Amino acid sequence: MPEPTDRRYGPAPLPRPRGPLSTALVRALRRAPHDLAAGLGGDLDPADPLTDEDLQLTLFLCYELHYRGWRGVDEGWEWQPSLLALRARAERPFEAALRRLVGSPPVPSGGVAAGLAEIVAADDGPPLAATLQRHADLTQFREFVAHRSVYHLREADPHSWALPRLGGPAKAALVEIQTDEYGNGRLDRMHAELFRRTLDRLGLDTGYGAHLDAVPAVTLATNNLMSLFGLHRRLRGALLGHLAAYEMTSSLPNRRYGNGLRRLGLDEVATRFYDEHVEADAVHEQIAAHDLCGGLVRVEPTLAGDVLFGAAAALAVDRMFAAHLLDSWAAGRSSLRAPAPRTISVPATALPSTAAGPLAGVA
């Protein structure tokens, strides 16, 4: 694959391996498509699949082939049979860990919308948004943004996998939500583009996948969860539940993120991504719960449990992510990975003079 003319939009640079399995896969991807060694990965059984660096990077390497791909990697790898077999072996412990984590949330008598509301109301995750609003310094806020860049630079794409798998009211509701996410067809209003401006204002690399080497397994897991649900038709209900959970828990945190950046002296260009979500997701919340998930279950009643599983899994993995950041900061260390850190210079015009400086640890 030739080098991209504009690295903001992909393909992503191949990340550094994090263990024997991802090492073997990266080496293979640098060559023309071929059969991987028989049994590569064997019977994968990491102690904690959700935080295992090697497993989560291996899954991310496989999944990205279905998005914008890897720089310098032959596109023929996307459907190479032995790579798909490896992905399936890696997915089994990941999905099993998710199901152990959240179980099978019961569908209440009030229906799937009521079940989603109960899951959201019961969510007692660590106060990451409040910390970023009131206490985080500029370096910590940059770390948070670097973590989130893995998803936000392709925001909405994982959930769009559901479109050809739906019909009727659920499809119409998803199109309504996704149209907003993609800026109603205007590049300057696409949520991914708004986030790219936030990255730029914070002096961070805006390239697609630029921060992959810096983020840990738990950050990759939040993204792999969406890809797992999106790439399997049998998990379409879980994918819609995941989206509903995101929309139903978005407005208040995004208000806090925007206020946190304002506290640090950032301008409206830096905060627009978060400010946009405060209003948009307040509307999306009702569409997602009632029209999207409710519409799906009216047509396919057996998927109600899957919807609630997807919502519960989304919130549970995000709680792990938030705990990682807050625990790292409480211990006085970076939440990003340490190997071979690079620094990114901050534009002098972007930040207040008291805040400017390089960020170590973001590649």
Side-chain angles (χ1 to χ4, degrees), residues 321-339:
F321 167 78
H324 168 74
L325 268 65
L326 293 177
D327 289 348
S328 297
W329 295 341
R333 63 176 182 268
S334 172
S335 64
L336 298 171
R337 287 165 52 81

Side-chain angles (χ1 to χ4, degrees), residues 93-128:
F94 181 41
E95 184 175 349
L98 293 168
R99 294 190 181 278
R100 288 194 300 270
L101 182 64
V102 303
S104 300
V107 182
S109 59
V112 72
L116 288 167
E118 289 179 9
I119 289 171
V120 168
D123 184 45
D124 58 351
L128 177 60

Side-chain angles (χ1 to χ4, degrees), residues 5 15 57 63-64 98 121 132 146 156 182 207 227 267 295 297 321 323 355 359:
T5 56
L57 182 59
Y63 288 145
E64 181 57 35
L98 293 168
L132 287 163
Y182 292 126
S227 297
D267 64 13
V297 171
F321 167 78
L359 170 61

Side-chain angles (χ1 to χ4, degrees), residues 196-276:
R196 180 169 284 109
R197 293 177 202 159
T198 300
L199 283 167
D200 183 64
R201 273 299 197 258
L202 287 169
L204 296 172
D205 194 328
T206 65
Y208 181 73
H211 303 294
L212 282 172
D213 281 325
V215 303
V218 69
T219 304
L220 297 180
T222 65
N223 290 273
N224 287 337
L225 176 63
M226 290 179 254
S227 297
L228 172 70
F229 291 166
L231 289 169
H232 290 274
R233 184 179 180 278
R234 66 180 175 86
L235 294 171
R236 63 195 180 280
L239 181 64
L240 298 196
H242 184 288
L243 176 57
Y246 265 29
E247 299 294 349
M248 294 171 73
T249 59
S250 174
S251 289
L252 179 57
N254 278 294
R255 186 185 300 277
R256 286 174 166 166
Y257 301 147
N259 287 341
L261 285 174
R262 278 183 278 271
R263 173 180 59 82
L264 292 168
L266 275 295
D267 64 13
E268 68 277 3
V269 176
T271 65
R272 186 180 172 192
F273 172 82
Y274 300 112
D275 296 339
E276 175 78 12

Side-chain angles (χ1 to χ4, degrees), residues 42-330:
D43 294 324
L44 290 169
D45 188 26
D48 184 357
L50 299 176
T51 59
D52 188 271
E53 298 287 348
D54 199 24
L55 177 69
Q56 289 300 326
L57 182 59
T58 295
L59 282 169
F60 198 93
L61 286 164
C62 293
Y63 288 145
E64 181 57 35
L65 292 167
H66 301 289
Y67 290 98
R68 302 184 206 173
W70 297 109
R71 197 177 304 164
V73 171
D74 192 306
E75 292 178 346
W77 274 110
E78 181 178 7
W79 299 108
Q80 210 288 329
S82 63
L83 184 139
L84 295 178
L86 171 64
R87 193 189 89 188
R89 288 197 297 275
E91 286 175 331
R92 283 193 284 271
F94 181 41
E95 184 175 349
L98 293 168
R99 294 190 181 278
R100 288 194 300 270
L101 182 64
V102 303
S104 300
V107 182
S109 59
V112 72
L116 288 167
E118 289 179 9
I119 289 171
V120 168
D123 184 45
D124 58 351
L128 177 60
T131 298
L132 287 163
Q133 177 185 3
R134 299 170 185 163
H135 307 297
D137 62 27
L138 187 61
T139 295
Q140 291 166 339
F141 216 112
R142 286 184 185 145
E143 288 186 15
F144 168 71
V145 170
H147 283 284
R148 287 305 198 194
S149 69
V150 179
Y151 168 60
H152 286 315
L153 288 181
R154 66 180 185 198
E155 183 163 348
D157 291 351
H159 297 112
S160 291
W161 287 110
L163 284 168
R165 294 169 177 172
L166 301 174
K171 185 165 193 165
L174 182 57
V175 168
E176 183 173 1
I177 292 172
Q178 298 299 80
T179 298
D180 279 349
E181 301 289 341
Y182 292 126
N184 291 285
R186 286 181 51 183
L187 177 65
D188 64 317
R189 296 181 61 182
M190 288 177 61
H191 288 184
E193 287 300 307
L194 297 180
F195 189 80
R196 180 169 284 109
R197 293 177 202 159
T198 300
L199 283 167
D200 183 64
R201 273 299 197 258
L202 287 169
L204 296 172
D205 194 328
T206 65
Y208 181 73
H211 303 294
L212 282 172
D213 281 325
V215 303
V218 69
T219 304
L220 297 180
T222 65
N223 290 273
N224 287 337
L225 176 63
M226 290 179 254
S227 297
L228 172 70
F229 291 166
L231 289 169
H232 290 274
R233 184 179 180 278
R234 66 180 175 86
L235 294 171
R236 63 195 180 280
L239 181 64
L240 298 196
H242 184 288
L243 176 57
Y246 265 29
E247 299 294 349
M248 294 171 73
T249 59
S250 174
S251 289
L252 179 57
N254 278 294
R255 186 185 300 277
R256 286 174 166 166
Y257 301 147
N259 287 341
L261 285 174
R262 278 183 278 271
R263 173 180 59 82
L264 292 168
L266 275 295
D267 64 13
E268 68 277 3
V269 176
T271 65
R272 186 180 172 192
F273 172 82
Y274 300 112
D275 296 339
E276 175 78 12
H277 281 74
V278 173
E279 180 177 349
D281 290 351
V283 176
H284 292 174
E285 174 180 351
Q286 298 303 315
I287 298 171
H290 296 278
D291 301 332
L292 179 65
C293 294
L296 174 71
V297 171
R298 285 193 295 274
V299 174
E300 300 186 81
T302 60
L303 295 184
D306 288 349
V307 170
L308 298 185
F309 163 67
L315 297 181
V317 177
D318 265 20
R319 284 195 297 272
M320 294 175 59
F321 167 78
H324 168 74
L325 268 65
L326 293 177
D327 289 348
S328 297
W329 295 341

